[in-house]
Amino acid sequence: QNEIAHIVSTRNTTTSYWYKNGVVDSTYSHSYLDLATDSNPILIGTGYAGGYIGNIFSVKLYNRALSAVEIQQNFEASRGRYGI
């Protein structure tokens, strides 16, 4: 709450990554195996851990995992817009 941040979540078949302001904030291993296309809905701001508290100013979805360099570039390109 009361903080503006650029948050990114991405994963491959074995590891999920969370970035905050262009830098890896946490990682964890999983066993999702194949990355598949399906028709399940995407819920933004809610989930198994409860609801998100705060405002979400912008959401971008990609059909592939971004590299660490691309995530840093996106952060640098948008940080001035939000005063980060």
Side-chain angles (χ1 to χ4, degrees), residues 36-48:
T37 301
D38 62 35
S39 60
N40 290 326
I42 296 173
L43 300 175
I44 298 171
T46 189
Y48 71 89

Side-chain angles (χ1 to χ4, degrees), residues 4-8 20-22 57-60 62 66 69-84:
I4 296 176
H6 180 268
I7 303 297
V8 175
K20 181 177 179 181
N21 296 336
F57 294 106
S58 177
V59 174
K60 294 181 182 180
Y62 294 86
L66 298 181
V69 170
E70 291 171 314
I71 291 168
Q72 180 66 38
Q73 288 171 339
N74 283 351
F75 169 65
E76 293 298 336
S78 65
R79 69 186 297 181
R81 185 178 317 147
Y82 301 105
I84 304 173

